[in-house]
Each structure stands twice: as structure tokens, then as C-alpha cells.
Amino acid sequence: MTYALLKTIDDPAALRRLDRRQLGTLADELRAYVLESVSQTGGHLSSNLGTVELTIALHYVFNTPDDRVVWDVGHQSYPHKILTGRRDRMHSLRQWGGISGFPRRSESEYDTFGTAHSSTSISAALGMALGARTLGEKRVSIAVIGDGAMTAGMAFEAMNNAGVYKDLPLLVVLNDNDMSISPPVGALNNHLARLMSGKFYAATKKGIERVLSVAPPVLEFAKRFEEHAKGMVVPATLFEEFGFNYIGPIDGHDLESLVPTLQNIRQRALEGGGPQFLHVVTKKGQGYKLAEADPILYHGPGKFNPAEGIRPSTKPARKTYTQVFGEWLCDMAAADPRLVGVTPAMREGSGMVEFEKRFPNRYYDVGIAEQHAVTFAGGLACEGLKPVLAIYSTFLQRGYDQLIHDVALQNLPVVFALDRAGLVGADGATHAGAYDIAFLRCIPNMMVMTPADENECRQLLTTAYQQACPTAVRYPRGAGTGVATQAALTALPVGKGEMRRTGGARAGQRVAFLAFGSMLHPALGAAEALDASVANMRFVKPLDEELVKTLARDHDYLVTVEEGCVMGGAGSAVLEALAAAGIVVPVLQLGLPDRFVDHGDPAFLLSQCGLDAAGIEHAVRERFSLTQAAVATRAA
């Protein structure tokens, strides 16, 4: 495709100069461009194909960036990026130095709020709307939120707050692509949406209320009748109870309905009509049959040929840690009927598909509601069950208070299976699990484990499951090292590490690595060059303090290595143990730096942080001034 029309759109101002009859052609070109671009770089596809017309309509009707558009989650914002001056940079999507896969304030003035976690848009848009009022500026703030994100309490907290401001120019657009509550979309619903967004409906409604206000019982009856009448064709009542004027549902792919409806809404919002709620129905993968048929498969694909679609790899793949967890969960559930699995809307991502099939009555998807997920798991534990909460490290941050107050304080045996611990590559800083070691190890009753390979992951999950206290097992994204997993459900000794290499450098040059989790193997690589000792620590809490003391006694320098933040991390635990024992020894702490690590290839990002074997070796030589000759000379 030549993209003749799309290439003329370098910003929304150019889009707004188009004749409305050209928008359909633009939508076809934009959808094709998204498909072509993502197939070459990888990224989120299904969700972006579904928001093409909605994105065009929003930028066509609203005066962006003066009118603020906030995208929830943000993995649906590729069409937005293309229309806001980043079309020619899409080849760099999610790559080091390239554009982000999510909205990012530093990237464009049209990215009004940085997102990647869900259910934040209404709160942010409300803040922007009230900020504009405070500054005396007149503009509309728009939150575009998906049906999944509406399951989070934060969205309803924001709506509850927003409904207080009866004349605020705020619009919430519900991009509904999966909700079973949605009624059939057709001409009648489109007509109703346009009618309810217009002045005539609003004026008539207010006029009737004034007339009937002299007779309160009649007014109340009329209001109830209106609610139930609208409820027969649209799910309006819930949102109107929050103080929003509900409009919809409307076909999110029909520009002939979207544009005039949004025009009516914008005018009404600017004239003091108060918070508006537009319900649009879209289809994930719209316009690409393969993605329409399997939107989950095409949610976040790698590179592929659009003509052929995604084809399974013929290469024998190493197991991912997520697969190791999924297999362990099924095996442990078969062995113990008390086990229940919990996920906050991440069944596929957390490896729980097979578990749901085999144990449907012991599987709980609570929606995008991490806070609820943690406390819910605590409630299950109170009844003698053994809950395993599968959650990404970055998402557990959202349930931190509940982790402390509702689980740890009560010492409830919940297993937290923390996927995506450490750097995550193309998803970048928003999804990196950089802080879990630091924020977990300071909590009383918690136990924190860091497996170094696939089999150890299975063993430490078993170890965690057997404890009578809250436990966390953190493991990285992607494939392991290729270590085979044993069939047995074998636990490891609690709080005990192991020596994986004993160095032989002469006195004054002896180095010991204390490696946590995924950093064991790059530490072993650096140790070969330095002739250093390497301990696989396994546990951050309880720390193997005896092993730490032994290593400090037998070596001149200690080096802690972790794929987590240095500040407050596992290395800090080692320093605290040494201080408590009154041992003074030079310690180098290696881990993630005190900055947010950008998106890029995972191996490249580790090297940028100095956490590959070469980087670790370099840091040790630089810090302790080791020479090649010294480390090559073994003790006589």
C-alpha cells in the first residue's frame, strides 16, 4: 500500500483539515500501516487494530493536544502515535533509542500522561480537568479506558470523585471489546447515542425536571422510569449513578456515528454539561482476519509475515520460567487439593491456561484488581486453603499495602509467584520488576527466594508452598538456561545457599561472588576470568548468614550481584548481616542502577547495566584494581 493519504498527516491539525468523507480511506491506510509496522518490529497488535477509527475520531473532533487525551494501559495507542508525528519512527518501536510501546510524556506533547499499567486514565484526566479549571483554561479532558481496565477499583474511585463536579468538561470513553454486558450494536443504538449526546435531549431532560420539580413524587417516578427505560437498551444506570451522562453503546468502527457523537459531546462538555461517559464497542484485531479469530495470539506478537500469520517455531525451544511455573502449579494442585490459583487478569501471561482447564473450580481470575487479588488470597488462606497468587513483579507494587496489612501482618501462607522479575526488554521501565527484593525483604514474616535456573525455580516454588508464612519466588521473563526440570516436587533447605565455584587466586586477590537468582550464570562467567568463588545464594530472606560469614573470612573481596535495584536490595541484606556480625570486608554491590532502564533487547539492557559477564568482570577489576597476572597466579 502507498499510504497516499496517511503520509499527508504529520499531526492532528492536518487530520482536522480533511473532509469527513476521507476519514474512511484514512482508517483503511492507518490499519494497514499498523499491521505492516508491528509485523516488522513486534509489539501489541490486536488492541491497536481495534482502536483505529476511535483514534481518528478523537483527534478529528477534539483540539489535541490542547484537549487532553489519556490512553489507559497505552498498548492501544499505536494509531495515536502514527497520527501525532511518529509515523516515520515506528520502525524503532520498543527498541533501544526508539519510541516506546506506551504513551510517554517525554516523547510527545500529545502523550499527555505516561501509562502502561491499567485503570489510571480517569484519575489522570480528572486531575487534568480540575487543573485546567484552577488555571482558568477551557478544554476537555478525555480518558480512553478498556473494558478490562474498568474491573479495577481505581477506575471507580476516580468516577466516584469525578461525579461530584457537575459542570466539569470530562469525557470517559469506554472502549468495550469483550464485555458480555454489551447489547447488540446496530442502527438503533447508534441513533440513541447521537440523540443522547445532543442538545435537544439534554434540554428536554432539564425542562422536564424543572416542570416536575414542583411535585417531587412525580419527579422521582419519572427519573426511575427513565433509568429503567434506558437500561432496557443500554447499561446506563450504573454510570449515571456516578454522576456521568451515559451515551451509547455505539459502533466504535463506524466513523459516521463516532464523529457526530463526539462533536455533540465536546460541545456539551464545554458548555457545562458535566462529566460524559461514551460507551463504544470495538473488535480486537479489526480488519485482520487472523487477529480477529485469535486476538490473544496476536495480542503481543514478535515479527511475522502478515500474509502467513504467526507460525509456530520449528526450533526446539527452552522452557520459559512461566512454563515452569505453570507445570509446577498443575503438579502441585494434583498433589494437594488445598491449592488454589489466583491471577489478576493474567491467565496467559502467568502460565495458568492449563491449570484453569484441569482445575476450573480452583482457578480464580479476579480481573485487573491487584489490591483485591492480594487480600482475596489472604481470605482464602484464612479458610485453610493454599493460595498461589501468580502476578508480575511490577503489578505487585499496586497491592503493596494489602501485602503488608492483609497478608504479612496476619502471617497468612500465601505464595507470591513473581513473574517478570528484573528487566523485561521491549516493554521497558513500566513493566520491569526492579524493586520487589527491596520492598519485600523489609516486611516481617516474608520469605523471599531467587531461583537461578528452571529446576531450582520448581524446587523453590515447592519450598515456598510448604511454608506456614507468606513467601515470594521471583523469576525472570523468558527462557531459562536449559536446565531440565525434575518430576518430583522437591523442596530445598530454607535459608541455605550453595557454593558453585571455589576460586584459587593468591592471598590479597581472592574474590567471592554472592549471586542471587538470574545473576548466577553471568557471575560464573566473570568468575572464570577472575578465578573467583561463586555462591548461589537462593534466599534473600532468610539470608544464609553463615555462608556470608564464611565467604567473608576466606576472601579478600565480596561482590553481590542481583537483577534488581541496588538500593535496599539483596546486596544491602549482605551488608546488614556483615555489620551485625562485626565483620569488615570490602563489598561491591552490583545490580540495577538508580534510574529507570529504558526498553530494548534484554541482553543489551543487561550489558548496559553492567550485569553481563564482561560487565561484572570489568566492575570488579576497576573497583579492586585486580590485575590479570594476580588472578592468574594460584596459591602455591
Side-chain angles (χ1 to χ4, degrees):
M1 184 176 286
T2 60
Y3 307 111
L5 187 56
L6 181 61
K7 286 182 178 179
T8 68
I9 308 300
D10 292 321
D11 57 39
L15 168 64
R16 290 190 281 269
R17 288 194 290 268
L18 294 180
D19 186 286
R20 211 166 91 183
R21 290 170 294 184
Q22 295 177 283
L23 298 185
T25 300
L26 179 64
D28 292 340
E29 292 187 13
L30 181 55
R31 178 167 282 109
Y33 194 87
V34 168
L35 176 58
E36 179 184 341
S37 175
V38 174
S39 71
Q40 294 174 1
T41 63
H44 293 99
L45 182 61
S46 298
S47 55
N48 285 290
L49 292 176
T51 58
V52 167
E53 289 83 4
L54 177 59
T55 304
I56 290 173
L58 286 170
H59 283 296
Y60 188 75
V61 171
F62 291 93
N63 186 31
T64 55
D66 188 52
D67 287 333
R68 314 294 203 228
V69 178
V70 181
W71 295 91
D72 211 289
V73 180
H75 64 348
Q76 57 186 335
S77 65
Y78 294 4
H80 159 81
K81 286 177 180 279
I82 294 167
L83 294 176
T84 54
R86 287 165 279 183
R87 181 184 66 251
D88 293 337
R89 296 190 64 202
M90 287 297 289
H91 68 277
S92 69
L93 183 74
R94 295 163 32 107
Q95 299 169 40
W96 180 256
I99 61 175
S100 171
F102 303 97
R104 195 174 191 180
R105 281 174 54 82
S106 61
E107 190 175 292
S108 170
E109 63 178 332
Y110 294 94
D111 290 1
T112 60
F113 196 78
T115 57
H117 288 193
S118 84
S119 316
T120 61
S121 61
I122 304 177
S123 296
L126 174 59
M128 292 174 183
L130 289 173
R133 171 190 281 186
T134 302
L135 296 170
E137 299 172 353
K138 197 167 186 178
R139 56 171 171 261
V140 183
S141 295
I142 305 105
V144 185
I145 185 168
D147 48 12
M150 283 298 298
T151 63
M154 186 175 178
F156 288 95
E157 290 173 19
M159 290 184 65
N160 184 57
N161 187 191
V164 173
Y165 304 98
K166 300 303 181 183
D167 61 347
L168 198 66
L170 173 69
L171 168 62
V172 174
V173 179
L174 173 61
N175 177 24
D176 176 359
N177 52 35
D178 209 19
M179 290 178 71
S180 58
I181 64 167
S182 304
V185 175
L188 174 61
N189 285 317
N190 290 339
H191 172 71
L192 288 172
R194 294 177 65 174
L195 176 65
M196 287 191 290
S197 67
K199 283 186 175 181
F200 176 77
Y201 173 80
T204 303
K205 183 177 178 181
K206 287 184 177 179
I208 292 173
E209 287 178 353
R210 281 197 301 270
V211 171
L212 295 180
S213 63
V214 297
V218 179
L219 175 62
E220 181 62 26
F221 173 79
K223 285 184 175 180
R224 290 180 180 274
F225 179 81
E226 180 198 26
E227 289 175 358
H228 287 293
K230 289 172 70 176
M232 286 189 289
V233 289
V234 291
T237 307
L238 171 64
F239 302 112
E240 295 207 340
E241 288 296 332
F242 279 101
F244 284 72
N245 178 53
Y246 176 92
I247 302 153
I250 186 172
D251 185 346
H253 302 298
D254 183 358
L255 286 163
E256 289 303 311
S257 295
L258 269 176
V259 170
T261 299
L262 286 171
Q263 288 172 332
N264 285 335
I265 289 172
R266 184 174 190 270
Q267 184 174 355
R268 185 174 180 185
L270 290 173
E271 292 176 351
Q276 308 291 310
F277 190 100
L278 175 62
H279 182 172
V280 302
V281 178
T282 61
K283 186 180 183 66
K284 285 183 178 180
Q286 174 74 12
Y288 182 49
K289 296 301 182 183
L290 295 174
E292 288 180 14
D294 195 345
I296 293 176
L297 177 63
Y298 287 85
H299 171 71
K303 299 177 184 180
F304 69 99
N305 183 341
E308 299 177 351
I310 298 173
R311 295 193 169 188
S313 174
T314 56
K315 298 179 182 178
R318 292 175 296 176
K319 282 185 183 178
T320 66
Y321 282 96
T322 302
Q323 290 172 321
V324 171
F325 166 75
E327 293 173 0
W328 171 85
L329 189 66
C330 289
D331 292 345
M332 185 58 77
D336 187 349
R338 297 175 301 161
L339 185 148
V340 288
V342 182
T343 176
M346 294 303 296
R347 180 189 64 173
E348 289 80 16
S350 292
M352 300 181 74
V353 173
E354 184 64 22
F355 178 79
E356 183 197 18
K357 289 179 182 177
R358 291 180 56 186
F359 306 96
N361 295 328
R362 292 154 66 183
Y363 167 81
Y364 298 99
D365 183 343
V366 303
I368 302 177
E370 294 88 357
Q371 294 169 298
H372 164 59
V374 175
T375 303
F376 171 68
L380 291 168
C382 287
E383 297 305 309
L385 295 171
K386 296 283 287 185
V388 177
L389 173 55
I391 186 169
Y392 290 8
S393 169
T394 185
F395 297 151
L396 182 59
Q397 295 163 187
R398 311 187 91 190
Y400 191 52
D401 175 69
Q402 289 70 24
L403 173 63
I404 296 173
H405 188 273
D406 300 336
V407 174
L409 182 62
Q410 303 182 88
N411 202 27
L412 296 173
V414 176
V415 176
F416 294 88
L418 302 188
D419 204 332
R420 271 67 165 177
L423 299 179
V424 293
D427 282 337
T430 57
H431 282 59
Y435 312 109
D436 54 83
I437 292 177
F439 72 62
L440 287 174
R441 75 175 194 85
C442 62
I443 303 174
N445 295 328
M446 280 297 304
M447 188 178 293
V448 184
M449 308 173 208
T450 58
D453 58 44
E454 301 93 318
N455 192 52
E456 197 165 271
C457 183
R458 182 177 174 90
Q459 292 173 315
L460 287 178
L461 284 165
T462 303
T463 308
Y465 187 80
Q466 294 179 354
Q467 305 311 307
C469 63
T471 56
V473 181
R474 73 183 309 261
Y475 45 91
R477 180 178 187 171
T481 59
V483 173
T485 54
Q486 61 188 43
L489 294 167
T490 305
L492 295 173
V494 172
K496 295 297 180 184
E498 61 166 0
M499 291 301 301
R500 292 292 292 267
R501 188 183 193 281
T502 301
R506 67 184 183 183
Q509 298 291 325
R510 293 173 299 181
V511 176
F513 287 104
L514 291 77
F516 293 85
S518 60
M519 289 293 98
L520 173 64
H521 296 281
L524 285 168
E528 286 297 322
L530 297 168
D531 195 19
S533 299
V534 180
N536 175 21
M537 298 303 294
R538 289 177 172 163
F539 290 81
V540 175
K541 185 179 183 182
L543 186 69
D544 190 341
E545 295 185 1
E546 290 305 313
L547 180 56
V548 171
K549 293 175 186 177
T550 299
L551 291 171
R553 183 185 65 237
D554 296 341
H555 296 82
D556 302 296
Y557 308 110
L558 299 185
V559 182
T560 64
V561 195
E562 59 193 297
E563 194 175 347
C565 62
V566 170
M567 300 176 75
S572 296
V574 171
L575 289 175
E576 291 163 12
L578 291 169
I583 298 174
V584 178
V585 61
V587 179
L588 172 61
Q589 292 173 263
L590 299 179
L592 298 180
D594 186 27
R595 59 179 171 82
F596 294 109
V597 180
D598 219 339
H599 49 270
D601 176 77
F604 176 78
L605 295 181
L606 284 174
S607 69
Q608 285 286 302
C609 295
L611 294 179
D612 58 351
I616 292 171
E617 178 191 348
H618 174 76
V620 172
R621 291 188 186 281
E622 185 176 60
R623 175 65 176 274
F624 301 127
S625 300
L626 301 184
T627 65
Q628 291 283 2
V631 297
T633 303
R634 293 183 176 274

